[in-house]
Amino acid sequence: MSGRIQAPRGTYDVLGEDASARVALEDHARRILERAGYARIETPVFEATELFARGVGESTDVVQKEMYTLDEGSEGSFTLRPEGTAPVCRAYLEHGMHKLPQPVKLWYLSSFFRRERPQKGRFRQFWQVGAEAIGSDDPAVDAEAILLLSELLEALGCRGVRLRIGSLGTPETRRAYREELQSYLRAHEAELAEEVVARIDLNPLRAFDSDHRGTQAVMAGAPRLLDRLTDADAEHFATVCALLAAADQSYEVDDTLVRGLDYYTRTVFEFTSDALGAQSGVGGGGRYDGLIEQIGGPHTPGIGWASGVERMLLTASTLAAAPAPLDLYVAYATEEQRIAAFRLAADARRAGYAARLELGGRSLKGQLKQAGNAGARYVAILREDGTFLRDMETGDQQQVEIDTVMHHIGQVTL
Ligand code: HAM
């Protein structure tokens, strides 16, 4: 046996400041979303592969090449969740949440898995904060969801953030538009990138995404979906925009906005940041009025978003959780006091204090230094000649009975 084992490519460990920044991020997300009536949900890390094949869409990159799939023989095929919307919709159906007052608002902070080529801001295991509002097609739900993500990004101090918004209409409009776009693309095949030509049948909308020069020139003159929306969809979109404006939310209408997942209908949106490199999408989402039917349920509208934790942290200027306070540090002079010290620290924690015991085998001097570095409010020093309690704020030290330590610190800290 030789060689050190390392974390898999595209994964990372969460340590130190990064760990506390994540705690702060989660606190902000919880505060903002729960104030708006979103309840926390957790779904399994793996699901039936078919959930994503049907929900996210066979033609997407995610389903075609990025899923981590496990074949469990007669039990079926399972996939590490590449995203959270299809699982949340599955849970909505499975638990009969249509019986609850609609829309049902759910949020999550979970990890997801995509076999992508790792680069800055792109991982194979990554985290998202997500929010889903299921059971209403009111454009106010769309506008509210967008505002909540905007509020989160602002609370985190994310820099250079821009909001783009568009509408994909209903499946019928899209179908007709798709055919129109396909004919247009076929008429210009010679000028298009090879991979765009290869996708004309499967996903012609992705042509708007291309960074190929010739394709971009062709797409500048392509028919636009926003001009083909039905009156109802156009009105829905106009209302979303009007509500965003009423809430002083700045946005740009982008009629070429393409999202990487197939379930979207009507509103789609994306927040990007200049502070990120090529992977400039911080968070995005949209409406998915057909998704629940796609996975075997009745017609149920829904809207939501997800925002990448790594990308939010990359764009956030400073995000630090306040260090946890330490009420008591228990130090001891010799091995004889070790058990009493152990007990005092355990009792203090049981009584609700943040208490720590020396565990590193340091000298008493080293322990006191450690207590100072840890920001302890009090240090109990157990010596052969008695127990001493030092107030680290004032520097005062007094001899006390060991049983009264909690009483002493309680007078100040509780
Ligand atoms: P998505 O656009 O695929 O949407 O992902 C949302 C966000 O997750 C992205 O904007 C990005 O910040 C982050 N993300 C995606 N892939 C990676 C990766 N490989 N590494 C790091 N971060 C990544 C969804 O997942 C939809 N479920 C959003 C949604 C919710 N739509 C409606 N409801």
Side-chain angles (χ1 to χ4, degrees):
M1 293 282 184
S2 68
R4 245 187 4 210
I5 296 167
Q6 296 192 322
R9 219 161 91 79
T11 70
Y12 58 89
D13 301 306
V14 180
L15 306 168
E17 278 177 15
D18 193 21
S20 52
R22 280 165 179 256
V23 171
L25 184 148
E26 179 164 1
D27 288 347
H28 282 297
R30 181 183 307 108
R31 177 177 53 80
I32 290 167
L33 291 167
E34 295 192 352
R35 257 187 347 206
Y38 283 76
R40 184 77 179 245
I41 182 169
E42 275 304 331
T43 58
V45 166
F46 60 92
E47 296 269 1
T49 302
E50 205 181 336
L51 174 65
F52 303 113
R54 284 188 2 209
V56 173
E58 296 277 8
S59 69
T60 58
D61 280 352
V62 169
V63 170
Q64 281 200 346
K65 44 187 190 201
E66 294 171 2
M67 299 207 297
Y68 287 97
T69 295
L70 324 156
D71 183 3
E72 293 293 291
S74 61
E75 289 209 35
S77 168
F78 298 95
T79 291
L80 296 184
R81 57 184 176 196
E83 65 96 50
T85 310
V88 168
C89 287
R90 194 246 337 116
Y92 174 94
L93 275 177
E94 198 163 326
H95 300 283
M97 290 192 226
H98 63 281
K99 292 187 211 118
L100 302 173
Q102 306 293 301
V104 173
K105 295 168 159 184
L106 300 164
W107 80 279
Y108 47 89
L109 197 176
S110 317
S111 60
F112 297 90
F113 306 84
R114 295 183 193 175
R115 190 185 283 106
E116 295 199 77
R117 197 170 47 77
Q119 64 180 78
K120 185 182 170 201
R122 191 160 75 188
F123 301 91
R124 290 181 166 179
Q125 178 179 2
F126 57 97
W127 270 257
Q128 288 181 342
V129 174
E132 315 288 351
I134 306 175
S136 165
D137 62 6
D138 189 327
V141 187
D142 306 40
E144 184 185 87
I146 294 171
L147 286 181
L148 291 171
L149 177 50
S150 176
E151 194 185 331
L152 175 62
L153 297 176
E154 194 172 329
L156 299 177
C158 295
R159 290 160 297 146
V161 172
R162 278 174 39 195
L163 166 63
R164 289 180 303 140
I165 161 166
S167 176
L168 300 181
T170 39
E172 298 72 46
T173 318
R174 249 164 107 185
R175 218 165 289 133
Y177 169 73
R178 212 177 127 105
E179 281 169 18
E180 186 185 353
L181 184 63
Q182 282 168 332
S183 322
Y184 177 83
L185 291 172
R186 283 205 193 92
H188 292 83
E189 253 186 51
E191 298 144 72
L192 300 174
E194 241 170 73
E195 80 253 18
V196 172
V197 175
R199 278 174 168 270
I200 292 181
D201 286 330
L202 209 54
N203 199 348
L205 274 165
R206 290 301 289 269
F208 285 109
D209 250 359
S210 171
D211 40 26
H212 174 260
R213 274 267 180 84
T215 306
Q216 285 176 345
V218 172
M219 298 322 284
R224 298 299 168 109
L225 180 56
L226 273 185
D227 299 328
R228 302 290 186 269
L229 296 184
T230 62
D231 289 349
D233 290 345
E235 196 185 317
H236 191 275
F237 185 56
T239 309
V240 174
C241 293
L243 289 170
L244 290 176
D248 295 328
Q249 171 66 50
S250 58
Y251 62 89
E252 294 154 43
V253 172
D254 182 344
D255 56 5
T256 66
L257 187 59
V258 177
R259 306 255 318 125
L261 313 166
D262 270 0
Y263 47 61
Y264 292 112
T265 52
R266 293 190 157 179
T267 313
V268 282
F269 58 93
E270 199 152 72
F271 285 85
T272 54
S273 166
D274 310 338
L276 292 170
Q279 301 300 312
S280 65
V282 181
R287 203 161 251 298
Y288 43 84
D289 293 346
L291 173 55
I292 291 195
E293 256 170 311
Q294 209 71 44
I295 61 170
H299 175 75
T300 313
I303 163 108
W305 50 258
S307 199
V309 166
E310 297 78 12
R311 295 191 195 171
M312 288 190 283
L313 291 177
L314 273 171
T315 60
S317 32
T318 46
L319 190 64
L326 180 59
D327 302 314
L328 180 68
Y329 189 97
V330 184
Y332 57 92
T334 69
E335 276 303 304
E336 272 78 72
Q337 290 95 43
R338 193 172 145 85
I339 290 180
F342 183 86
R343 204 169 147 180
L344 176 57
D347 284 349
R349 283 193 297 266
R350 282 195 197 113
Y353 296 104
R356 251 184 259 168
L357 172 71
E358 163 61 18
L359 293 172
R362 292 179 185 81
S363 66
L364 187 56
K365 196 169 152 209
Q367 295 178 45
L368 293 175
K369 194 165 161 213
Q370 188 67 12
N373 291 343
R377 179 72 179 79
Y378 286 95
V379 185
I381 307 161
L382 278 60
R383 302 196 317 219
E384 273 165 357
D385 57 341
T387 299
F388 298 83
L389 188 63
R390 183 180 294 182
D391 183 330
M392 297 293 274
E393 239 168 64
T394 61
D396 293 346
Q397 183 167 312
Q398 54 172 322
Q399 184 162 12
V400 297
E401 289 302 319
I402 191 164
D403 302 342
T404 66
V405 167
M406 240 97 76
H407 171 74
H408 283 285
I409 63 176
Q411 289 184 331
V412 181
T413 56
L414 283 188

